[in-house]
Amino acid sequence: MAPSAPREGSGPRLRADAARNRAQVLTAARTAFRELGTAAPLDEIARRAGVNIATLYRRFPDRISLIRQVVVDAFDLVLQAAHSALATAQQDPLAAIEGFLLHLVDERDMLVLPLIGGPVTDDPEATELQLQIEPLLEELLALARAQGVIRPDATAVDLITTAALACRPLPYLPAEQATALARRHVRIFLDGLHPEGARRLPPSITHEDLRTHLHGRPDAEGERG
């Protein structure tokens, strides 16, 4: 007689299957949220993930928990990219800034975030990740200012919004062309960071302004990702 299939949690194989299913659901959710907004039907997300709807609900009991995890994963990716940039910034801070922005462009399919048209969430973990990102970027900019390689009025918000604009989906272009265009615009921005011949900028806003405007908006359910 063939051995019966192991029950959930009964062995390593199922744990690996569960992790794979969870990753597939999150990948499908990111794509669906970008294309259809956060009101994308959960059964459509399950179909794209190649799992049944019961499996999706086992991993994420409701839409809010799925949205939350997509956003948390994206902010965590940005935070790790900021840490990596800062770790290399002493030698060449401008190259570290470039690396930070281009890494986000390359990973933009992971970035379903409010500034990229994605969902807004007040989840405490997502908020904490956001709060950790800004000081890292300010420290990165401070190193670049100290070496005289960027204009003195560039802010962390400039980096955040540039990354958001470069990472927005371009669904009508083939993926390779969309990536090439985004990387081109990052390099145009980087040239604008140089202090030589820089024109005075209009006043910036703060990171807190960004968060206030985003989280003060009405619920964005159904907003396109």
Side-chain angles (χ1 to χ4, degrees):
M1 178 183 296
S4 60
R7 291 170 300 174
E8 183 165 359
S10 65
R13 188 181 68 79
L14 190 57
R15 286 198 295 271
D17 288 348
R20 183 173 62 251
N21 288 342
R22 185 177 188 277
Q24 289 173 182
V25 168
L26 288 168
T27 297
R30 284 189 286 268
T31 303
F33 290 162
R34 282 195 302 271
E35 293 176 5
L36 307 172
T38 52
L42 295 184
D43 57 356
E44 170 64 12
I45 293 173
R47 185 190 68 78
R48 294 185 185 206
V51 303
N52 60 47
I53 192 67
T55 297
L56 184 151
Y57 278 121
R58 240 186 340 264
R59 309 296 163 227
F60 303 99
D62 52 39
R63 182 182 302 275
I64 291 173
S65 64
L66 182 57
I67 290 171
R68 172 203 169 276
Q69 193 60 55
V70 164
V71 173
V72 164
D73 286 351
F75 278 127
D76 187 59
L77 187 153
V78 177
L79 178 63
Q80 297 312 314
H83 275 298
S84 295
L86 192 56
T88 64
Q90 288 288 351
Q91 282 188 311
D92 190 342
L94 194 56
I97 292 170
E98 179 177 13
F100 169 75
L101 294 171
L102 292 180
H103 178 69
L104 296 186
V105 167
D106 290 343
E107 297 290 339
R108 67 189 183 282
D109 287 348
M110 285 283 296
L111 300 180
V112 184
L113 291 168
L115 279 176
I116 306 177
V120 176
T121 177
D122 289 322
D123 178 78
E125 187 176 359
T127 300
E128 178 58 30
L129 289 168
Q130 284 181 276
L131 293 175
Q132 292 179 54
I133 292 166
E134 184 193 12
L136 293 175
L137 296 182
E138 289 291 2
E139 189 173 350
L140 181 58
L141 290 170
L143 286 170
R145 291 188 202 104
Q147 294 188 25
V149 296
I150 67 166
R151 57 191 304 154
D153 51 357
T155 69
V157 171
D158 294 321
L159 296 186
I160 291 165
T161 53
T162 296
L165 292 170
C167 290
R168 287 185 72 87
L170 298 171
Y172 302 110
L173 286 179
E176 287 186 7
Q177 289 185 16
T179 298
L181 184 60
R183 293 174 73 90
R184 171 187 169 90
H185 279 261
V186 165
R187 291 193 167 98
I188 290 172
F189 168 76
L190 290 165
D191 282 349
L193 284 181
H194 285 252
E196 297 84 5
R199 292 180 295 171
R200 185 174 180 177
L201 292 172
S204 182
I205 63 173
T206 67
H207 192 257
E208 185 58 34
D209 291 331
L210 279 181
R211 292 192 64 254
T212 298
H213 288 304
L214 282 171
H215 294 285
R217 294 166 51 195
D219 179 63
E221 183 72 15
E223 174 183 15
R224 291 192 177 274

